[in-house]
Amino acid sequence: MNSVRTRYAKSIAYAKRIAEVIPGGVDSPFRAFHEVGGDIVFFDRAKGSKLYDLDGNIYIDYLGAWGPAILGHCPDAVVKKCQETLAKGPVFGAPHIYEMEMAELVIAAVPSVEKIRFVNSGTEAVMSAIRLARGFTGKDTIIMFEGCYHGHSDATLASNGHQSSSGIPDGARAATILAQFNNLNSVEDLLQKHKNQIAAVIVEPVAGSMGVVAPQSEFLAGLRSLCNQYGALFIMDEVLTGFRVAFGGAQNLYQVDADITCFGKALGGGMAIGAYGGRKHIMDRLQPEGDVYQAGTFSGNPLTMAGGIATLELLADSRVYSTLEARTAQLFAGLAKAIESHNYPVQLPRVGSMFSLVFAQKPVQNFQDSLTIDAQTFANFFHYLLDNGVYLPPSAVDAACLSSEHSEAEIDTTIEIMTRAFKYCFG
Ligand SMILES: *Cc1c(COP(=O)(O)O)cnc(C)c1O
């Protein structure tokens, strides 16, 4: 293990120091490798498909910053526009035209979004969308799906998915009830049982925190019509899928409209962003037009909007999505070959460039299935990759994300290293 200590010497030294001042050494728990074990790695910079750590190690990156780096890290056009904007002032706390331009770009890309508000994170987007749904319908209860992740607000952490928390008031827990992903009957049962109490059904159109789980055909359309039937709003949390699985998002891919849609991650080109939008008559319930409050010192700030505008302009070129599709297909073809020839217990779910290596005997369709995932073998796999210069999300259940900057040669290298990693894990 001497060589490992040398490889990560600086990171190991800083890991001790940072843990004295920041709980667990991280500002977001999954960064701490708590699932996969081992010392955290500190990064110095990121460019294109690559991450560079403090010890000088280079990684082909499949974390993609948990989603934002769809065009790779630091795309030149985004950096340039952000630098110009930064020099003019990153925040005014007053109107400017970048937020208008950004709103127009998102609205043009997503048919169900007629008006939009920008906030600073996916969590804020979801939290605000839920408040808006409650204000609009005059009802309190939210239906969400076990195992779906919607950020860290009380309302959505009330479920016991792979993320759970103490410190959530009983009232918040009681106001969120759980259905099963890919199971329309479980939703209809709840809508029946809680008749006239449901403000909204919120779903990740492609689940990204129990492996990647695609919606079965008719699941999203079924949710849409159940919401119509029972007078609940349909919220699609596209924080991860938005502008990732297709231009616009999963609702464009699956042709299902939401009442309110949440965005984040890939929308901002690396700037801290969240957004929620929907039908005019719903969005106009927000203050100052209406009666539902949402604000934010940094909401829609020029720097974030500049990052978003530059990103959406690049994403509007459909070649980005054909590259994302081709590279992810190449990766999966190579991995499928290795997995099938040895019958390794690994599933390969993906939707576009959002993918997962699921260490389980059978495909995962819902949260219950995801409990069969072998986190220990994944941890061994993760560390083999880390030591060989490939960075995956440090979690057996969270989606990995490829970028349009990954080259064919880098994908081949990744296939080679992962194939060796399977041998190392399974013999
Ligand atoms: C990441 C994520 C969130 C939370 O977004 P943050 O920017 O981390 O607050 C919410 N919903 C989904 C589907 C996500 O993937």
Side-chain angles (χ1 to χ4, degrees):
M1 282 283 117
N2 247 340
S3 64
V4 167
R5 294 206 72 81
T6 315
R7 178 177 163 85
Y8 303 111
K10 282 189 183 152
S11 281
I12 288 169
Y14 281 114
K16 290 205 180 70
R17 184 166 151 195
I18 198 172
E20 296 293 322
V21 289
I22 294 180
V26 292
D27 287 310
S28 193
F30 271 87
R31 295 178 200 166
F33 286 6
H34 66 283
E35 262 205 7
V36 294
D39 289 299
I40 52 180
V41 177
F42 286 78
F43 290 94
D44 179 46
R45 64 196 177 91
K47 179 73 184 167
S49 59
K50 298 274 186 29
L51 287 172
Y52 300 80
D53 78 11
L54 276 187
D55 287 281
N57 303 304
I58 304 174
Y59 305 82
I60 306 174
D61 176 35
Y62 294 94
L63 179 66
W66 303 92
I70 185 165
L71 293 158
H73 296 279
C74 275
D76 292 339
V78 175
V79 171
K80 182 162 177 282
K81 190 161 180 97
C82 285
Q83 279 171 341
E84 287 165 9
T85 309
L86 184 58
K88 292 165 74 175
V91 60
F92 307 141
H96 54 92
I97 60 170
Y98 282 160
E99 51 194 342
M100 178 187 71
E101 288 177 15
M102 180 65 179
E104 288 169 352
L105 286 170
V106 180
I107 287 165
V110 189
S112 77
V113 174
E114 296 171 349
K115 284 193 174 181
I116 190 163
R117 272 279 173 87
F118 295 104
V119 289
N120 305 290
S121 68
T123 294
E124 256 187 87
V126 169
M127 187 180 84
S128 308
I130 287 176
R131 181 178 303 142
L132 176 58
R134 285 174 169 156
F136 181 82
T137 59
K139 300 170 188 173
D140 284 347
T141 308
I142 302 291
I143 294 178
M144 65 173 269
F145 293 86
E146 197 175 14
C148 279
Y149 182 63
H150 300 293
H152 62 91
S153 68
D154 282 356
T156 62
L157 276 186
S159 90
N160 290 315
H162 289 288
Q163 289 85 15
S164 62
S165 179
S166 59
I168 313 275
D170 290 342
R173 282 192 200 283
T176 305
I177 53 179
L178 292 175
Q180 294 305 311
F181 197 79
N182 275 331
N183 181 340
L184 284 173
N185 288 336
S186 71
V187 183
E188 182 147 32
D189 287 351
L190 291 176
L191 285 164
Q192 277 286 354
K193 190 169 156 210
H194 301 267
K195 226 171 188 161
N196 301 321
Q197 294 163 36
I198 305 297
V201 175
I202 181 167
V203 71
E204 281 183 90
V206 179
S209 295
M210 42 181 169
V212 166
V213 184
Q216 288 167 1
S217 67
E218 297 311 309
F219 178 58
L220 296 175
L223 291 179
R224 171 71 276 175
S225 47
L226 282 173
C227 284
N228 291 349
Q229 194 183 329
Y230 286 89
L233 295 189
F234 184 32
I235 304 176
M236 278 202 208
D237 179 354
E238 296 229 42
V239 171
L240 182 51
T241 55
F243 294 88
R244 159 78 47 192
V245 299
F247 189 67
Q251 57 195 276
N252 285 359
L253 187 65
Y254 298 110
Q255 295 290 304
V256 177
D257 281 350
D259 294 309
I260 307 176
T261 303
C262 303
F263 297 98
K265 294 189 171 130
L267 190 65
M271 303 300 113
I273 199 168
Y276 63 108
R279 299 276 171 237
K280 277 190 183 121
H281 69 288
I282 300 173
M283 293 303 288
D284 281 340
R285 286 293 290 271
L286 290 171
Q287 292 189 29
E289 295 286 298
D291 53 352
V292 177
Y293 191 72
Q294 167 266 309
T297 303
F298 292 101
S299 290
N301 70 76
L303 181 59
T304 298
M305 295 298 98
I309 291 164
T311 300
L312 291 189
E313 284 172 352
L314 293 168
L315 290 177
D317 182 342
S318 64
R319 282 174 301 182
V320 171
Y321 291 93
S322 43
T323 301
L324 287 165
E325 175 60 30
R327 297 291 186 275
T328 322
Q330 182 194 344
L331 176 65
F332 266 38
L335 296 182
K337 218 167 123 196
I339 289 167
E340 280 159 22
S341 65
H342 292 86
N343 259 320
Y344 296 136
V346 179
Q347 310 299 321
L348 292 176
R350 78 173 176 102
V351 176
S353 60
M354 171 182 170
F355 70 92
S356 185
L357 281 84
V358 170
F359 283 66
Q361 300 282 351
K362 293 207 184 101
V364 168
Q365 297 294 343
N366 58 37
F367 179 71
Q368 282 307 311
D369 293 350
S370 77
L371 299 176
T372 66
I373 292 173
D374 177 357
Q376 184 52 56
T377 305
F378 175 82
N380 298 340
F381 183 77
F382 172 86
H383 278 289
Y384 187 95
L385 297 185
L386 190 72
D387 293 347
N388 286 277
V390 173
Y391 200 88
L392 272 190
S395 152
V397 297
D398 278 296
C401 292
L402 204 133
S403 87
S404 55
E405 287 297 296
H406 284 70
S407 68
E408 287 180 22
E410 284 169 339
I411 302 291
D412 281 338
T413 303
T414 305
I415 292 168
E416 233 174 82
I417 294 170
M418 287 187 173
T419 302
R420 279 191 271 132
F422 288 137
K423 278 205 190 95
Y424 168 78
C425 290
F426 297 114

